Amino acid sequence: MRYKSANDHYKERFGRKMYKASVSLNVTCPNRDGSKGTGGCIFCSEGGSGEFSPDASVPVSEQIDMAVSKVFSKAGPDAGYIAYFQSFTNTYCDTGYLRKAIEEAIAHPKILAVSIGTRPDCLPENMVTMLGEMAKDIPVYIEMGLQTSSDRTALLINRCYETQEFADAVSRLKNAGINVIAHVIFGLPGETVEDMMDTVRYVVDSRCDGIKFTCLYVLRNTVLEKMYLNKEFETLTMKEYFDIVEQALEIIPDDMTVHRLTGDGPKRLLIAPEWTKNKRSAVNYINRRFGNG
Ligand code: SF4
């Protein structure tokens, strides 16, 4: 099934293969520090959705050096890198702090773009203006966790912002020349396949440039773990999940980039579903079923 993958997009935009170099900042999330909520989204672990991220106390340039050296032998000398500010909410800080971190990242010779993970309710006008200024010098991607367009499910997962804020943020970011990627989770408790397709349609209608799909996985020491152990919901099988992905791909327009068909949780924390522990078999399955040729 043909769709525009991240590799297709990067080839078009950068003329080469691109890799992500994770960078951690000293930030938290309004959903954890009490300003919006406490405890975080029910699926989110202590690491703030960035389990594979480096230590925030290490200077940004050194974090990038470490990330590049990890993949360099596989990536080769011509690959480009995107500094990926992944854990927690990276615009939940002073604009000066983030600007300095971005400047340090883009001064690194391997970095050709930056990608910043955040929430739509943490993008005040001065932050969007600063990011828009940066986007004049280097491609800037903003990755926002939507997960679902259902405000009912959003309440259940303790997302702590209303869906309408997402569309509003997308439009302000796009006006500032920023590429916007939505994160969506399939398999949230209580959601039907039609709810999930509504979320995909919502992302398409909000005119995001890209989308990332993830299967809901249960991590240790989360509220979701308690719900799972209480048998309040079941996780998706690999076939069920990719059947949903296939339906979603039918809705996605040709010019929207599908950055990821599924994610993989940290093995040491992962409780379920079992199949997401075996990355190689999931990748083989994806290649067989969705081989992008
Ligand atoms: S907004 Fe992101 S970092 Fe914060 S609790 Fe939710 S998933 Fe975790």
Side-chain angles (χ1 to χ4, degrees):
M1 180 172 218
R2 185 74 208 160
Y3 62 92
K4 186 173 181 182
S5 68
N7 278 343
D8 295 334
H9 167 76
Y10 294 144
K11 275 252 164 65
E12 207 175 280
R13 191 161 191 186
F14 302 97
R16 65 183 79 197
K17 223 169 154 132
M18 299 289 285
Y19 289 82
K20 288 233 173 113
S22 281
V23 177
S24 297
L25 296 182
N26 234 326
V27 288
T28 177
C29 161
N31 223 0
R32 292 174 168 273
D33 70 359
S35 78
K36 277 291 186 79
T38 50
C41 301
I42 61 171
F43 51 81
C44 186
S45 67
E46 281 296 300
S49 302
E51 264 54 47
F52 308 107
S53 299
D55 181 347
S57 65
V58 174
V60 168
S61 57
E62 281 178 39
Q63 293 188 45
I64 294 170
D65 281 340
M66 288 188 297
V68 170
S69 68
K70 265 193 209 152
V71 295
F72 191 77
S73 59
K74 174 179 154 212
D78 298 330
Y81 292 82
I82 300 169
Y84 184 22
F85 297 85
Q86 181 181 13
S87 313
F88 299 109
T89 301
N90 292 284
T91 59
Y92 190 45
C93 57
D94 184 68
T95 50
Y97 174 65
L98 181 58
R99 174 190 276 271
K100 195 167 161 288
I102 295 174
E103 283 171 348
E104 197 177 333
I106 65 184
H108 192 285
K110 292 281 181 200
I111 295 298
L112 304 182
V114 293
S115 191
I116 299 161
T118 188
R119 301 162 46 96
D121 57 345
C122 294
L123 288 161
E125 264 335 294
N126 61 343
M127 184 61 81
V128 175
T129 305
M130 183 277 283
L131 293 168
E133 279 164 16
M134 289 285 164
K136 290 181 187 141
D137 293 335
I138 192 158
V140 174
Y141 296 81
I142 292 286
E143 306 199 19
M144 284 194 294
L146 172 66
Q147 328 308 0
T148 175
S149 63
S150 157
D151 279 317
R152 174 181 45 83
T153 311
L155 205 60
L156 178 81
I157 65 173
N158 196 35
R159 191 184 64 185
C160 295
Y161 74 80
E162 285 184 13
T163 297
Q164 179 49 41
E165 293 178 71
F166 180 89
D168 174 62
V170 176
S171 119
R172 291 186 296 114
L173 289 165
K174 287 187 62 78
N175 286 342
I178 293 162
N179 186 298
V180 187
I181 302 167
H183 288 206
V184 163
I185 298 180
F186 292 146
L188 289 167
E191 289 223 324
T192 62
V193 173
E194 207 30 55
D195 292 329
M196 300 175 217
M197 293 311 114
D198 281 348
T199 297
V200 176
R201 279 188 279 271
Y202 180 83
V203 171
V204 171
D205 291 346
S206 69
R207 308 193 53 74
C208 278
D209 302 283
I211 190 164
K212 268 186 180 178
F213 302 124
T214 306
C215 178
L216 180 73
Y217 46 75
V218 181
L219 298 181
R220 212 175 294 287
N221 300 327
T222 58
V223 175
L224 196 68
E225 179 192 14
K226 291 196 185 88
M227 291 170 70
Y228 180 72
L229 296 177
N230 276 341
K231 302 201 181 323
E232 290 174 43
F233 73 100
E234 283 179 11
T235 53
L236 297 169
T237 66
M238 183 154 78
K239 164 128 183 10
E240 283 167 343
Y241 174 72
F242 286 109
D243 284 351
I244 294 167
V245 169
E246 187 167 332
Q247 277 196 54
L249 291 177
E250 278 161 19
I251 297 172
I252 305 280
D254 293 346
D255 60 350
M256 181 182 269
T257 305
V258 179
H259 283 265
R260 188 174 70 191
L261 293 188
T262 189
D264 53 328
K267 271 194 192 150
R268 67 188 171 83
L269 297 178
L270 192 65
I271 307 255
E274 196 62 34
W275 64 267
T276 60
K277 288 183 181 166
N278 192 340
K279 190 174 178 185
R280 184 179 293 255
S281 101
V283 168
N284 288 342
Y285 182 91
I286 289 172
N287 288 341
R288 269 200 315 278
R289 183 159 177 181
F290 300 98
N292 215 0

